[in-house]
Amino acid sequence: MPRTDSSRGFRWKREVYDSMLSSRAWPVRLPRILLGALALIAVGRQFVADLALPDFSPVNFFSYFTILSNIAAGALLIRLGAAPGRDGRAVLEWLRGGMTVYMATTGTVFALLLDGGDSLPWVNTVMHHVMPVVMFVDWLLVRPRVRIRYTSAFAWLTVPLVYVVYSLVRGAVTGWFPYPFLRPGTAGGVDGVALYLVVMTICIALAAMLVAWLGNIRVREREPVELPEGQSVP
């Protein structure tokens, strides 16, 4: 059946959209580099500000999920903007999806469970509001180049799990916890902490499935569609 003018027009519009929002296009690469740098600058500025505090601990500073996720998101965006080549694209897309989940977790947990804390106002805005939106919008606008297996998407939960184990073990030893919902004294005891973690695990798992699905439905069928069978993910 011959193609209609409308189908040709739709295809042309899609090709224009893809060319403008390709991972290799400068309208994508430059904002990624600038926003990635903004995240790292925000973390660095907060670190410098906290150095003046009498009880400052660099280990405590880098034990916040917010700090770690913003450093990782910033570094990934700079990497994607500076070198968006095809090499290692399966792993890079897997990392991009994971960082979308982690930054969504950072923004949501902050909005629901935390207050402004002691962060500088503009740093707080960048880390808890701007960067979660940036990663999600980037995932929605820039078409993923490969499909993400849902089993691989579940692997995104490994990072939060390792982080929680680290925080609880270190907190039990030192008495310092990065967030009140991890501290038995403010979360209603051990049972309260466990309840928070169960609910958060379910929410992160659902977010992982949603992010994977939103990416997979937009991958072009002519491209390699899955992570290779034998390939491991970070």
Side-chain angles (χ1 to χ4, degrees):
M1 186 175 182
R3 291 176 177 172
T4 63
D5 291 339
S6 61
S7 65
R8 292 194 190 96
F10 175 79
R11 181 182 178 185
W12 178 81
K13 290 179 181 178
R14 188 179 69 175
E15 289 176 350
V16 170
Y17 174 89
D18 286 346
S19 64
M20 291 181 61
L21 293 177
S22 165
S23 60
R24 299 178 188 83
W26 278 107
V28 170
R29 296 176 63 183
L30 183 58
R32 280 178 167 177
I33 293 172
L34 294 177
L35 290 167
L38 176 63
L40 298 183
I41 290 171
V43 172
R45 180 65 185 89
Q46 189 62 51
F47 182 84
V48 171
D50 287 358
L51 281 174
L53 299 176
D55 58 347
F56 175 72
S57 166
V59 178
N60 288 353
F61 181 85
F62 290 106
S63 291
Y64 285 99
F65 191 81
T66 294
I67 297 297
L68 298 174
S69 61
N70 272 272
I71 291 174
L76 179 62
L77 286 174
I78 292 174
R79 165 63 177 83
L80 291 171
R86 301 179 69 89
D87 294 342
R89 64 178 181 171
V91 174
L92 286 176
E93 293 294 358
W94 183 83
L95 289 173
R96 186 162 73 103
M99 285 313 309
T100 302
V101 173
Y102 303 149
M103 290 308 304
T105 300
T106 295
T108 302
V109 169
F110 177 81
L112 297 179
L113 300 177
L114 304 173
D115 55 27
D118 298 323
S119 301
L120 299 172
W122 75 268
V123 170
N124 179 66
T125 298
V126 169
M127 293 195 298
H128 293 112
H129 301 290
V130 174
M131 291 309 297
V133 172
V134 165
M135 292 306 301
F136 189 69
V137 170
D138 182 87
W139 186 253
L140 288 181
L141 292 184
V142 184
R143 186 194 301 274
R145 293 177 290 177
V146 295
R147 291 186 186 275
I148 303 295
R149 294 178 183 272
Y150 290 106
T151 52
S152 297
F154 268 118
W156 289 332
L157 274 68
T158 303
V159 170
L161 176 61
V162 171
Y163 173 79
V164 166
V165 170
Y166 160 77
S167 298
L168 293 178
V169 171
R170 183 170 183 268
V173 173
T174 65
W176 183 88
F177 295 87
Y179 299 107
F181 54 82
L182 295 176
R183 187 183 306 119
T186 57
V190 175
D191 291 343
V193 172
L195 179 59
Y196 272 115
L197 294 181
V198 168
V199 173
M200 291 174 67
T201 299
I202 294 173
C203 291
I204 294 173
L206 292 175
M209 295 301 98
L210 176 62
V211 167
W213 178 76
L214 287 173
N216 289 342
I217 61 174
R218 292 157 44 241
V219 174
R220 286 192 173 184
E221 294 299 329
R222 69 170 180 265
E223 295 183 335
V225 296
E226 292 181 338
L227 289 171
E229 281 293 342
Q231 183 169 346
S232 61
V233 294

